Amino acid sequence: MGNERVYQMEFSKVYGLLVNKAVKKERTREEVDEVIRWLTGYSQAELDRMLEYPVCYADFFRKAPKLNENRKLIKGVVCGVRVEEITEPLMQEIRYLDKLVDELAKGKSMDKILRKKDA
């Protein structure tokens, strides 16, 4: 799927896919929300609003209040590509979220997923 097609996808549809992936592995929607809030800086109320109105995936990231500085610590492979090697900034942000949800679905602790120093 080309970048533009991904960017134009409706955030609420992608969100549903992310939640389903986590829930199938016995994680929760609340944990997915926590990961999204950590990465993007949205509050829960802001995230809920983004889900109510049609917002494309690209704009969801472009309008993020404050991307977490520790997101650069996210490493690994998503969709066959190393996230730290993605050169297109917007696609890298999207893949960071994919990687975080993958880690959640694989049973990692939230402290490790959110790159907390004590983890």
Side-chain angles (χ1 to χ4, degrees), residues 6 9-19 57 97-98:
V6 172
M9 292 174 66
E10 197 169 306
F11 171 67
S12 62
K13 291 186 193 262
V14 175
Y15 175 82
L17 297 172
L18 296 172
V19 169
Y57 208 23
L97 180 54
D98 289 342

Side-chain angles (χ1 to χ4, degrees), residues 76-89:
V77 178
V78 173
C79 299
V81 179
R82 295 201 70 74
V83 294
E84 63 270 26
E85 295 174 1
I86 297 171
T87 57
E88 206 288 301

Side-chain angles (χ1 to χ4, degrees), residues 90-107:
L90 184 55
M91 183 53 70
Q92 188 174 47
E93 302 301 341
I94 288 169
R95 294 304 181 201
Y96 282 150
L97 180 54
D98 289 342
K99 182 63 180 167
L100 294 174
V101 173
D102 280 355
E103 291 176 357
L104 186 65
K106 288 179 181 172

